[in-house]
Amino acid sequence: MPFLGQDWRSPGWRWVKTEDGWKRCEPFSPALEDGNNQLNDISHTVIIAGDDENEEVYSTEDCEFAAKKRKKDHFRNNTDSQCFYREKWIYVHKESTRERHGYCTLGEAFNRLDFSSAIQDIRRFNYVVKLLQLIAKSQLTSLSGAAQKNYFNILDKIVQKVMEDQYNPRLIKDLLQDLSSTLCILIRGVGKSVLVGNINIWICRLETILLWQQQLKNLQMNKQVNNGLTLSDLPLHMLNNILYRFSDGWDIITLGQVTPTLYMLSEDRQLWKKLCQYHFAEKQFCRHLIPSEKGHIDWKLMYFALQKYYPIKEQYGDTLHFCRHCSILFWKDTGHPCTASDPNTCLMPVSPQHFIDLFKF
């Protein structure tokens, strides 16, 4: 497998696996390639600057350094894309090697894995929001300055998407609430905190969060005008099957507020019992039995009581994956340069909490 580091054996190029072995892809930017060719031509010449009396000769090493700097400036000034990384995966290493110095950080991974595009995919939207929520609770100060800026840019896109599409505003409200609480604590203890950047920047970010919360609070759901078949027209057994497909108790309660029929179905004891059995072990809910007035177990109250003590199972349409063979973290549809004979056997889905744990040292 080719090395991923910036060394003389593989200076950051992109490689693809073919029948004849690994081959290097062409650079993604023709304009950048032309610029690099020009810089390479210049780097092999001698540049003379200044007057005849005080002329200064720049060596080949100086020119190569200038070429590299111009290349970096090209990426930094490229405003068309938020992230200038070619690859959408990252090698997770926790110790120094001959090829790599240092270790992979949470901020590095957050910048490299293209979360800006991921939130546009409905399968990944909840996954990214949950990850941002976990970072807001405990890992915000672990991000670098660039990663923190990227974090709030992605958060801005999420809020705008929810305002436009009205998709799952409750999830975003919870995220903003946790983030505002964390920032209030860190700003009050600014002398002891490790926030990157001026305190005034964080105060402005907190004000922006409060503005987003107000916008979501005033969000009015658009009524769908549809003359065809509606949810209320479905037979009871189909409505009941829909409710049994929900894995979140709050979603069941929200759907039950739509019509009296759905409310009746959402209060079914058997429905909440199945939900408790799905998320929690029998030993767990046996310790917190809550009887109702009629002497039966109140499974609905049991669910929300157990939720305070134990984590619930999380379901996502798509997640990040980790290759145990290559130690690479990536989105499954983007792939990665794996050298395993059967790559699918090496893949492991990564939950949001697992993502955080990968970068704890």
Side-chain angles (χ1 to χ4, degrees):
M1 179 179 177
F3 292 98
L4 306 177
Q6 293 265 358
D7 63 343
W8 63 272
R9 287 162 288 189
S10 176
W13 298 107
R14 182 175 181 177
W15 297 78
V16 292
K17 190 175 183 181
T18 64
E19 295 180 355
D20 300 328
W22 286 91
K23 290 188 177 181
R24 194 181 77 193
C25 291
E26 292 297 325
F28 74 101
S29 174
L32 181 59
E33 178 68 7
D34 295 339
N36 288 339
N37 291 336
Q38 294 176 4
L39 293 174
N40 291 334
D41 294 338
I42 295 174
S43 65
H44 294 289
T45 63
V46 178
I47 300 176
I48 301 176
D51 298 331
D52 295 337
E53 298 179 355
N54 299 318
E55 62 182 14
E56 182 178 359
V57 181
Y58 291 87
S59 63
T60 303
E61 290 78 13
D62 294 330
C63 295
E64 290 176 352
F65 176 80
K68 290 180 180 180
K69 187 176 187 304
R70 283 191 58 186
K71 185 177 178 181
K72 290 181 179 179
D73 292 339
H74 171 86
F75 286 124
R76 290 173 180 172
N77 297 329
N78 183 14
T79 56
D80 295 336
S81 60
Q82 181 181 353
C83 189
F84 52 78
Y85 298 102
R86 303 176 193 172
E87 309 295 350
K88 304 304 179 185
W89 45 263
I90 186 169
Y91 176 72
V92 181
H93 55 109
K94 297 186 177 183
E95 57 184 9
S96 297
T97 64
R98 290 184 178 181
E99 291 74 32
R100 286 182 172 271
H101 298 283
Y103 53 88
C104 182
T105 64
L106 177 63
E108 225 181 319
F110 192 82
N111 285 334
R112 290 286 295 272
L113 291 171
D114 194 23
F115 290 107
S116 294
S117 300
I119 61 174
Q120 305 302 325
D121 189 336
I122 194 171
R123 300 173 304 162
R124 300 175 179 172
F125 183 83
N126 290 359
Y127 180 88
V128 176
V129 172
K130 181 63 176 179
L131 178 59
L132 264 63
Q133 188 174 14
L134 291 176
I135 293 176
K137 288 181 177 180
S138 61
Q139 301 297 319
L140 190 61
T141 56
S142 299
L143 300 180
S144 63
Q148 288 175 356
K149 184 178 180 180
N150 191 19
Y151 179 95
F152 282 92
N153 287 337
I154 295 173
L155 186 57
D156 183 28
K157 293 181 179 180
I158 289 176
V159 174
Q160 299 308 319
K161 180 178 177 60
V162 173
M163 296 297 294
E164 294 173 3
D165 300 344
Q166 301 176 343
Y167 176 74
N168 209 344
R170 178 177 56 83
L171 193 63
I172 313 305
K173 290 178 182 179
D174 294 341
L175 165 59
L176 294 178
Q177 180 61 41
D178 291 335
L179 182 57
S180 62
S181 300
T182 301
L183 284 184
C184 286
I185 295 173
L186 293 176
I187 290 175
R188 282 199 299 266
V190 63
K192 300 179 181 179
S193 71
V194 289
L195 285 175
V196 178
N198 190 285
I199 185 62
N200 294 325
I201 296 176
W202 287 97
I203 292 176
C204 290
R205 286 174 175 171
L206 181 58
E207 292 175 350
T208 303
I209 293 172
L210 297 177
L211 177 61
W212 286 338
Q213 288 178 313
Q214 188 62 38
Q215 290 176 347
L216 291 172
K217 184 178 180 181
N218 299 332
L219 179 64
Q220 298 292 330
M221 306 299 288
N222 297 330
K223 293 184 178 180
Q224 299 292 333
V225 179
N226 190 352
N227 298 325
L229 188 68
T230 64
L231 187 65
S232 302
D233 297 327
L234 296 176
L236 288 178
H237 73 277
M238 293 186 67
L239 293 174
N240 199 44
N241 286 336
I242 292 174
L243 285 169
Y244 270 83
R245 296 297 186 272
F246 282 76
S247 61
D248 191 327
W250 285 109
D251 290 337
I252 295 176
I253 292 177
T254 302
L255 186 60
Q257 296 173 351
V258 176
T259 63
T261 302
L262 287 171
Y263 175 77
M264 176 192 68
L265 294 175
S266 67
E267 293 294 316
D268 182 25
R269 290 181 60 253
Q270 191 65 22
L271 171 65
W272 290 98
K273 180 179 180 180
K274 291 288 185 181
L275 197 62
C276 287
Q277 292 174 339
Y278 172 75
H279 286 290
F280 310 107
E282 185 175 355
K283 293 181 179 179
Q284 293 174 337
F285 59 74
C286 284
R287 298 174 184 173
H288 304 274
L289 293 177
I290 302 177
S292 63
E293 296 179 355
K294 298 180 180 180
H296 302 294
I297 298 175
D298 195 329
W299 291 104
K300 182 178 179 180
L301 290 179
M302 277 274 296
Y303 170 80
F304 290 104
L306 292 170
Q307 201 175 26
K308 298 178 180 179
Y309 298 99
Y310 311 104
I312 63 175
K313 292 182 180 179
E314 299 177 356
Q315 288 184 335
Y316 302 101
D318 191 14
T319 68
L320 286 168
H321 283 70
F322 182 74
C323 179
R324 291 186 293 268
H325 179 77
C326 307
S327 296
I328 287 179
L329 192 64
F330 65 102
W331 294 106
K332 192 173 183 180
D333 60 350
T334 60
H336 73 289
C338 185
T339 57
S341 57
D342 189 2
N344 291 330
T345 60
C346 306
L347 302 186
M348 177 179 65
V350 177
S351 67
Q353 184 59 55
H354 187 195
F355 178 90
I356 300 294
D357 295 338
L358 281 174
F359 303 97
K360 288 183 178 179
F361 304 103

